[in-house]
Amino acid sequence: MPSTHNVEKPWDTDDIDKWKVDDFKPEDNAGGSFAEESSFATLFPKYREVYLREAWPLITRSLEKLGIACTLDLVEGSMTVKTTRKTYDPAAILKARDLIKLLARSVPAPQAVRILDDGVACDIIKIRNQVRNKERFVKRRQRILGPEGSTLKALELLTECYILVQGSTVAAMGPYKGLKEVRRVVDDCMANIHPIYHIKELMIKRELAKDPELAGQSWDRFLPQFKKRHTSKRRTPFKVTDKAKKTYTPFPPPQEKSKVDMQIESGEYFLSKTAKERQQKERREDAMKSKMEEKRKEREKEFVAPKEDLGSDKKKKKEKKRKHRDEEEGSSSEKKKKKKSKD
């Protein structure tokens, strides 16, 4: 059979977008209705019941366009979607499954309905099992949000995805490329890598993508290389061990005495039960008496009069009188000298 690779193709023009995905219409389904019914169900928390009841008419209208039936069971607390004889798109039931998953994860209904469009996918990332310590988990989850949600907003703008941090999961909606970036950022954040590093990298990639000359080149030289740095201040240990050189002995240190050994040495082990109780009672009374004595001394300190140094006050008064007398004598002698000079 001759090759048709180099044959002219008059229908293949430059204005055709080969990557465009056309909408799936009812006439494209040549096989007709499905042979079997497919269904998916998911549970939702109790606090979502009131909101889902209000938003269910919108969800029903959106799924009817694709020929999908949906039921809301408030008794069991579940949502179910299933195919009908009007369903023509095989992928519609998978989109409906993602829709009820997002609704159960507290995504608003007008936002969750966008999952039914082509080119929009969702990813629910479980983050609770990545960090064991609860306090550490809460801090790292807060890093995804940032101060007043600024980090989350930056991620949404750079990845073109809708992100919702709820409980132990992160729900994301958007294009496939953006979802891949969101998962990488969230997983690294739970592994103690701050999202700001990824945000800087995404911003640089966004600017580099605008330059057509760099399309076929490696961008590694433009991207920041963040290395782990050891801080200059080392953590000081709570218990400082003595690191002075000790004499080497081949024998191990003596074993510490147990409570029973110490009781045998003191003779308390051989006492009767009543004698032990009496001894413990005496110890408690002695400790109580010593504490009461300390408290009494502290209370008496407030009523102790300060020492008065009367002798020092008398000396100070005498010195003041002497200085005053000397000043008066000096002033009178100066007046006499002035009179003599005038005469």
Side-chain angles (χ1 to χ4, degrees), residues 44-74:
F44 60 87
K46 182 73 175 175
Y47 63 86
R48 293 286 291 166
E49 182 179 323
V50 178
Y51 179 78
L52 288 173
R53 196 188 306 165
E54 293 174 359
W56 201 249
L58 171 66
I59 297 156
T60 308
R61 287 195 302 270
S62 302
L63 290 173
E64 273 180 0
K65 295 175 184 177
L66 300 173
I68 301 290
C70 59
T71 54
L72 177 66
D73 191 351
L74 297 175

Short mmCIF file of all heavy atoms in Angstrom, two decimals, residues 44-74:
data_model
loop_
_atom_site.label_atom_id
_atom_site.label_comp_id
_atom_site.label_asym_id
_atom_site.label_seq_id
_atom_site.Cartn_x
_atom_site.Cartn_y
_atom_site.Cartn_z
N PHE A 44 -22.71 13.50 52.69
CA PHE A 44 -22.36 14.89 52.98
C PHE A 44 -22.57 15.15 54.47
O PHE A 44 -23.41 14.49 55.12
CB PHE A 44 -23.20 15.87 52.14
CG PHE A 44 -24.68 15.77 52.34
CD1 PHE A 44 -25.31 16.49 53.36
CD2 PHE A 44 -25.46 14.96 51.53
CE1 PHE A 44 -26.68 16.40 53.55
CE2 PHE A 44 -26.82 14.86 51.72
CZ PHE A 44 -27.44 15.59 52.74
N PRO A 45 -21.83 16.09 55.07
CA PRO A 45 -21.98 16.35 56.51
C PRO A 45 -23.31 17.02 56.84
O PRO A 45 -23.97 17.59 55.98
CB PRO A 45 -20.79 17.29 56.82
CG PRO A 45 -20.38 17.86 55.52
CD PRO A 45 -20.72 16.87 54.47
N LYS A 46 -23.66 16.95 58.11
CA LYS A 46 -24.97 17.43 58.56
C LYS A 46 -25.13 18.94 58.35
O LYS A 46 -26.22 19.41 58.00
CB LYS A 46 -25.13 17.09 60.05
CG LYS A 46 -26.45 17.47 60.67
CD LYS A 46 -27.57 16.56 60.21
CE LYS A 46 -28.87 16.88 60.93
NZ LYS A 46 -30.00 16.09 60.40
N TYR A 47 -24.03 19.70 58.54
CA TYR A 47 -24.15 21.16 58.43
C TYR A 47 -24.40 21.64 57.00
O TYR A 47 -24.73 22.79 56.78
CB TYR A 47 -22.91 21.85 59.01
CG TYR A 47 -21.62 21.54 58.28
CD1 TYR A 47 -21.21 22.26 57.17
CD2 TYR A 47 -20.78 20.53 58.73
CE1 TYR A 47 -20.04 21.98 56.51
CE2 TYR A 47 -19.59 20.24 58.08
CZ TYR A 47 -19.23 20.97 56.97
OH TYR A 47 -18.05 20.68 56.32
N ARG A 48 -24.23 20.76 56.00
CA ARG A 48 -24.47 21.13 54.60
C ARG A 48 -25.91 20.89 54.16
O ARG A 48 -26.28 21.23 53.04
CB ARG A 48 -23.54 20.33 53.68
CG ARG A 48 -22.07 20.65 53.82
CD ARG A 48 -21.71 21.97 53.21
NE ARG A 48 -21.82 21.94 51.75
CZ ARG A 48 -21.83 23.01 50.99
NH1 ARG A 48 -21.79 24.20 51.54
NH2 ARG A 48 -21.91 22.92 49.67
N GLU A 49 -26.72 20.34 55.05
CA GLU A 49 -28.07 19.92 54.66
C GLU A 49 -28.94 21.11 54.25
O GLU A 49 -29.61 21.07 53.21
CB GLU A 49 -28.70 19.18 55.84
CG GLU A 49 -30.09 18.67 55.56
CD GLU A 49 -30.67 17.92 56.74
OE1 GLU A 49 -29.92 17.21 57.43
OE2 GLU A 49 -31.89 18.06 56.97
N VAL A 50 -28.91 22.18 55.03
CA VAL A 50 -29.78 23.34 54.76
C VAL A 50 -29.38 23.99 53.43
O VAL A 50 -30.24 24.34 52.60
CB VAL A 50 -29.68 24.36 55.92
CG1 VAL A 50 -30.53 25.59 55.61
CG2 VAL A 50 -30.11 23.73 57.22
N TYR A 51 -28.07 24.14 53.21
CA TYR A 51 -27.61 24.79 51.97
C TYR A 51 -27.94 23.94 50.75
O TYR A 51 -28.38 24.47 49.72
CB TYR A 51 -26.11 25.04 52.05
CG TYR A 51 -25.55 25.70 50.81
CD1 TYR A 51 -25.71 27.06 50.57
CD2 TYR A 51 -24.89 24.95 49.84
CE1 TYR A 51 -25.23 27.65 49.43
CE2 TYR A 51 -24.39 25.53 48.69
CZ TYR A 51 -24.56 26.88 48.49
OH TYR A 51 -24.09 27.47 47.35
N LEU A 52 -27.72 22.63 50.84
CA LEU A 52 -27.98 21.75 49.69
C LEU A 52 -29.47 21.73 49.34
O LEU A 52 -29.83 21.66 48.16
CB LEU A 52 -27.48 20.33 49.99
CG LEU A 52 -25.96 20.14 50.01
CD1 LEU A 52 -25.61 18.76 50.49
CD2 LEU A 52 -25.36 20.39 48.63
N ARG A 53 -30.31 21.80 50.36
CA ARG A 53 -31.75 21.81 50.09
C ARG A 53 -32.14 23.07 49.31
O ARG A 53 -32.99 23.02 48.42
CB ARG A 53 -32.51 21.76 51.43
CG ARG A 53 -33.97 21.38 51.27
CD ARG A 53 -34.71 21.52 52.57
NE ARG A 53 -34.08 20.78 53.65
CZ ARG A 53 -34.35 20.96 54.93
NH1 ARG A 53 -35.23 21.89 55.30
NH2 ARG A 53 -33.75 20.26 55.86
N GLU A 54 -31.50 24.21 49.63
CA GLU A 54 -31.80 25.46 48.92
C GLU A 54 -31.23 25.45 47.50
O GLU A 54 -31.85 25.97 46.56
CB GLU A 54 -31.23 26.64 49.70
CG GLU A 54 -31.91 26.88 51.03
CD GLU A 54 -31.23 27.97 51.84
OE1 GLU A 54 -30.21 28.51 51.34
OE2 GLU A 54 -31.70 28.29 52.94
N ALA A 55 -30.04 24.89 47.32
CA ALA A 55 -29.35 24.93 46.03
C ALA A 55 -29.69 23.75 45.12
O ALA A 55 -29.21 23.72 43.97
CB ALA A 55 -27.84 24.97 46.26
N TRP A 56 -30.49 22.79 45.60
CA TRP A 56 -30.75 21.60 44.80
C TRP A 56 -31.50 21.88 43.49
O TRP A 56 -31.23 21.22 42.47
CB TRP A 56 -31.51 20.57 45.63
CG TRP A 56 -31.36 19.18 45.07
CD1 TRP A 56 -32.31 18.42 44.49
CD2 TRP A 56 -30.16 18.41 45.05
NE1 TRP A 56 -31.80 17.23 44.09
CE2 TRP A 56 -30.48 17.18 44.43
CE3 TRP A 56 -28.86 18.63 45.48
CZ2 TRP A 56 -29.54 16.18 44.23
CZ3 TRP A 56 -27.91 17.64 45.29
CH2 TRP A 56 -28.24 16.43 44.67
N PRO A 57 -32.46 22.83 43.42
CA PRO A 57 -33.08 23.12 42.12
C PRO A 57 -32.09 23.55 41.04
O PRO A 57 -32.20 23.14 39.88
CB PRO A 57 -34.06 24.25 42.44
CG PRO A 57 -34.37 24.08 43.88
CD PRO A 57 -33.11 23.56 44.50
N LEU A 58 -31.08 24.36 41.40
CA LEU A 58 -30.05 24.76 40.44
C LEU A 58 -29.25 23.56 39.95
O LEU A 58 -28.96 23.45 38.75
CB LEU A 58 -29.11 25.79 41.11
CG LEU A 58 -27.84 26.17 40.34
CD1 LEU A 58 -28.19 26.91 39.05
CD2 LEU A 58 -26.91 27.02 41.21
N ILE A 59 -28.91 22.64 40.85
CA ILE A 59 -28.13 21.45 40.48
C ILE A 59 -28.95 20.55 39.58
O ILE A 59 -28.46 20.00 38.58
CB ILE A 59 -27.67 20.71 41.75
CG1 ILE A 59 -26.72 21.60 42.57
CG2 ILE A 59 -26.98 19.40 41.41
CD1 ILE A 59 -26.66 21.25 44.02
N THR A 60 -30.24 20.43 39.89
CA THR A 60 -31.13 19.56 39.07
C THR A 60 -31.25 20.11 37.66
O THR A 60 -31.17 19.34 36.68
CB THR A 60 -32.51 19.48 39.74
OG1 THR A 60 -32.37 19.10 41.10
CG2 THR A 60 -33.39 18.46 39.02
N ARG A 61 -31.43 21.43 37.52
CA ARG A 61 -31.55 22.03 36.18
C ARG A 61 -30.25 21.85 35.38
O ARG A 61 -30.30 21.60 34.17
CB ARG A 61 -31.88 23.52 36.31
CG ARG A 61 -33.30 23.80 36.75
CD ARG A 61 -33.66 25.26 36.49
NE ARG A 61 -32.75 26.18 37.20
CZ ARG A 61 -32.97 26.62 38.43
NH1 ARG A 61 -34.04 26.21 39.12
NH2 ARG A 61 -32.12 27.47 39.00
N SER A 62 -29.11 21.99 36.04
CA SER A 62 -27.82 21.87 35.35
C SER A 62 -27.59 20.44 34.86
O SER A 62 -27.07 20.24 33.75
CB SER A 62 -26.68 22.29 36.28
OG SER A 62 -26.86 23.60 36.73
N LEU A 63 -27.98 19.45 35.66
CA LEU A 63 -27.76 18.05 35.27
C LEU A 63 -28.79 17.57 34.25
O LEU A 63 -28.52 16.65 33.49
CB LEU A 63 -27.80 17.16 36.52
CG LEU A 63 -26.62 17.31 37.50
CD1 LEU A 63 -26.87 16.50 38.75
CD2 LEU A 63 -25.31 16.88 36.84
N GLU A 64 -29.97 18.19 34.24
CA GLU A 64 -30.99 17.80 33.26
C GLU A 64 -30.54 18.10 31.83
O GLU A 64 -30.93 17.40 30.90
CB GLU A 64 -32.30 18.53 33.56
CG GLU A 64 -33.18 17.82 34.56
CD GLU A 64 -34.47 18.57 34.84
OE1 GLU A 64 -34.65 19.66 34.24
OE2 GLU A 64 -35.28 18.09 35.65
N LYS A 65 -29.74 19.14 31.65
CA LYS A 65 -29.24 19.46 30.30
C LYS A 65 -28.37 18.34 29.73
O LYS A 65 -28.31 18.13 28.53
CB LYS A 65 -28.42 20.75 30.35
CG LYS A 65 -29.25 21.97 30.73
CD LYS A 65 -28.37 23.19 30.87
CE LYS A 65 -29.18 24.40 31.35
NZ LYS A 65 -28.33 25.59 31.57
N LEU A 66 -27.70 17.59 30.62
CA LEU A 66 -26.86 16.46 30.18
C LEU A 66 -27.59 15.13 30.26
O LEU A 66 -27.01 14.08 29.94
CB LEU A 66 -25.59 16.38 31.05
CG LEU A 66 -24.68 17.61 31.02
CD1 LEU A 66 -23.57 17.45 32.04
CD2 LEU A 66 -24.07 17.80 29.63
N GLY A 67 -28.83 15.16 30.72
CA GLY A 67 -29.61 13.92 30.81
C GLY A 67 -29.26 13.09 32.02
O GLY A 67 -29.37 11.85 31.98
N ILE A 68 -28.82 13.73 33.12
CA ILE A 68 -28.45 13.02 34.34
C ILE A 68 -29.51 13.28 35.41
O ILE A 68 -29.94 14.42 35.61
CB ILE A 68 -27.06 13.47 34.85
CG1 ILE A 68 -25.98 13.24 33.80
CG2 ILE A 68 -26.70 12.77 36.16
CD1 ILE A 68 -25.65 11.81 33.54
N ALA A 69 -29.95 12.22 36.09
CA ALA A 69 -30.91 12.35 37.18
C ALA A 69 -30.16 12.41 38.51
O ALA A 69 -29.12 11.76 38.68
CB ALA A 69 -31.86 11.16 37.18
N CYS A 70 -30.70 13.18 39.47
CA CYS A 70 -30.03 13.33 40.77
C CYS A 70 -31.08 13.30 41.87
O CYS A 70 -32.21 13.76 41.69
CB CYS A 70 -29.24 14.62 40.83
SG CYS A 70 -30.21 16.12 40.59
N THR A 71 -30.69 12.72 43.02
CA THR A 71 -31.58 12.65 44.18
C THR A 71 -30.81 13.07 45.42
O THR A 71 -29.62 12.77 45.56
CB THR A 71 -32.12 11.21 44.38
OG1 THR A 71 -30.99 10.31 44.45
CG2 THR A 71 -33.05 10.81 43.26
N LEU A 72 -31.52 13.77 46.33
CA LEU A 72 -30.96 14.22 47.60
C LEU A 72 -31.70 13.52 48.73
O LEU A 72 -32.90 13.75 48.92
CB LEU A 72 -31.10 15.75 47.73
CG LEU A 72 -30.62 16.37 49.03
CD1 LEU A 72 -29.11 16.23 49.18
CD2 LEU A 72 -31.02 17.84 49.10
N ASP A 73 -30.99 12.63 49.44
CA ASP A 73 -31.59 11.87 50.54
C ASP A 73 -31.17 12.52 51.85
O ASP A 73 -30.02 12.39 52.29
CB ASP A 73 -31.11 10.42 50.48
CG ASP A 73 -31.89 9.53 51.44
OD1 ASP A 73 -32.66 10.09 52.25
OD2 ASP A 73 -31.71 8.30 51.38
N LEU A 74 -32.09 13.26 52.48
CA LEU A 74 -31.79 13.96 53.73
C LEU A 74 -31.81 13.02 54.93
O LEU A 74 -31.17 13.30 55.95
CB LEU A 74 -32.79 15.09 53.96
CG LEU A 74 -32.78 16.21 52.91
CD1 LEU A 74 -33.89 17.20 53.20
CD2 LEU A 74 -31.44 16.91 52.87
#
